[in-house]
Amino acid sequence: MKKDIESIEDIRVLVDTFYGRVQRNDLIGPIFESKLAGRWPEHLEKMYRFWQTILLDEYSYSGRPFPPHSQLPVNQEHFDTWKYLFNSTVDELYKGKLAEEAKWRAERMATMFLSKIEYFRDVGSKPLM
């Protein structure tokens, strides 16, 4: 029987499994690699803190998640792939209220990020850092 996301250790398993799949994905893996080559450990640590703050109410993340994504060469297909990989990873590993919240929050972030990326692309600008 699967358990819910309950601890930072659970978040580390989720993040590590998910980003392992991202790195192997033919569509989004090269985009991530182009931005994070040599900096994967730093990124993973940031993602642990991000999800720990979001799901466990343990406020270890500070920052602005959107600006690093603002100029990525992505579209709906990229975000659909990202969501599929994330949701299938959550479903494979966990079951419960926080697992469902993780998927819900990922959906909201993907929708908002794509909308903002398209907006800045259309107006030929970038967000203030």
Side-chain angles (χ1 to χ4, degrees):
M1 178 100 157
K2 294 179 203 169
K3 68 180 193 109
D4 203 358
I5 298 168
E6 300 171 344
S7 67
I8 187 63
E9 290 78 23
D10 295 334
I11 288 172
R12 283 190 175 111
V13 169
L14 171 61
V15 167
D16 290 346
T17 304
F18 168 65
Y19 280 105
R21 292 173 180 177
V22 164
Q23 288 175 312
R24 292 186 302 273
N25 183 272
D26 292 337
L27 181 64
I28 65 175
I31 295 168
F32 276 83
E33 186 60 29
S34 74
K35 299 297 180 185
L36 296 173
R39 296 184 312 112
W40 276 102
E42 173 189 333
H43 180 69
L44 294 175
E45 283 295 326
K46 189 179 292 186
M47 293 300 94
Y48 304 150
R49 292 190 311 272
F50 176 81
W51 287 106
Q52 180 182 29
T53 298
I54 297 292
L55 296 175
L56 302 179
D57 289 327
E58 296 174 9
Y59 298 94
S60 58
Y61 175 81
S62 65
R64 297 176 55 215
F66 177 71
H69 300 84
S70 66
Q71 301 294 314
L72 293 178
V74 295
N75 59 36
Q76 185 68 54
E77 182 182 11
H78 297 93
F79 277 95
D80 289 345
T81 300
W82 183 90
K83 290 185 298 185
Y84 171 77
L85 292 173
F86 187 82
N87 290 339
S88 62
T89 302
V90 172
D91 288 341
E92 178 184 312
L93 297 171
Y94 302 107
K95 182 176 183 172
K97 182 180 176 219
L98 289 182
E100 292 303 312
E101 183 174 345
K103 294 187 298 183
W104 181 82
R105 289 187 179 261
E107 175 69 36
R108 302 284 75 78
M109 282 186 288
T111 299
M112 184 215 24
F113 277 27
L114 179 59
S115 175
K116 289 176 80 169
I117 287 168
E118 289 174 340
Y119 169 79
F120 288 115
R121 190 177 294 148
D122 289 347
V123 298
S125 159
K126 64 181 184 178
L128 298 174
M129 297 297 196

